[in-house]
Amino acid sequence: RALFVPTDVTVEQDVARLTEAAVSEFGRLDAAFNNAGAVHAFGPVAQIDESGWRADLELNLTSVFYGLRHQVPALAASGGGAILNNASNLGVVGMGSVAPYVAAKHGVVGLTRAVALEAADQGVRVNALVSGAVDTPAFRNSMGATPEGVAAIEALHPVGRIASAEEIASFCAYLLSGEASFVTGAALAIDGGFTAR
């Protein structure tokens, strides 16, 4: 059973309402996945204006902060649980022409580790997902819109391909489950070897 709650994750009141709706509908919160993200500002840092910088930070980092602010207390009230924040592979390595996004995703890793330490004694685990490229509609409408674009992104991954959504989903389900009960404060790669270089 699913509940759809339209939410702008860059607006704290929306994130609070989303968390409250989940608890109200299902009686408790057991897990949360902060997965919203995109690149707004492309190009050399000297050419990126303040609005592009702020847009990338708000969507990719501040949204995770808002989620954690409301999810940690809800999970603690339920007796514990797990949160997964999508940091992407650019949360642990650099890449030119997307500096605000890289900065935000590095921030997600640091925020994840800090909150994992704060929440551990409440039974709340917090981890960061370090994912490579994934075959989604968003990918197909951006970097993967052309065969040349797909080939270029595939070449960045030593396994020679991008991930399926199902591969990522199964890893996320494991990290959010009780089977991963000793894993917290970690930045875990599922990236086809991208960050091993």
Side-chain angles (χ1 to χ4, degrees):
R1 193 158 59 89
L3 174 69
F4 176 68
V5 182
T7 303
D8 180 344
V9 293
T10 68
V11 176
E12 185 173 9
Q13 294 84 352
D14 275 19
V15 177
R17 182 174 47 81
L18 171 63
T19 307
E20 291 162 6
V23 172
S24 176
E25 180 72 16
F26 301 106
R28 57 184 291 130
L29 185 66
D30 295 298
F33 184 23
N34 296 306
N35 188 41
V39 178
H40 291 288
F42 293 92
V45 69
Q47 296 175 13
I48 293 173
D49 62 18
E50 183 180 0
S51 65
W53 168 258
R54 290 187 180 278
D56 272 353
L57 262 63
E58 287 174 10
L59 179 58
N60 296 292
L61 178 57
T62 303
S63 66
V64 176
F65 168 73
Y66 290 155
L68 292 166
R69 268 180 51 84
H70 296 280
Q71 295 155 2
V72 169
L75 287 162
S78 299
I83 300 170
L84 187 58
N85 301 319
N86 196 343
S88 113
N89 50 14
L90 297 186
V92 296
V93 300
M95 179 176 282
S97 299
V98 288
Y101 180 84
V102 170
K105 291 301 189 177
H106 273 69
V108 169
V109 172
L111 181 61
T112 296
R113 290 177 172 150
V115 177
L117 296 174
E118 293 176 5
D121 64 355
Q122 301 172 67
V124 178
R125 298 183 300 104
V126 188
N127 290 295
L129 185 70
V130 177
S131 58
V134 185
D135 191 0
T136 63
F139 173 77
R140 292 291 174 178
N141 288 328
S142 58
M143 298 172 291
T146 65
E148 296 79 17
V150 172
I153 298 302
E154 287 176 340
L156 295 174
H157 299 77
V159 298
R161 64 179 181 86
I162 63 173
S164 71
E166 292 77 15
E167 287 175 303
I168 303 298
S170 63
F171 190 55
C172 293
Y174 165 73
L175 292 173
L176 292 170
S177 77
E179 293 181 355
S181 59
F182 203 57
V183 182
T184 194
L188 299 149
I190 178 169
D191 65 358
F194 186 103
T195 58
R197 292 182 168 165

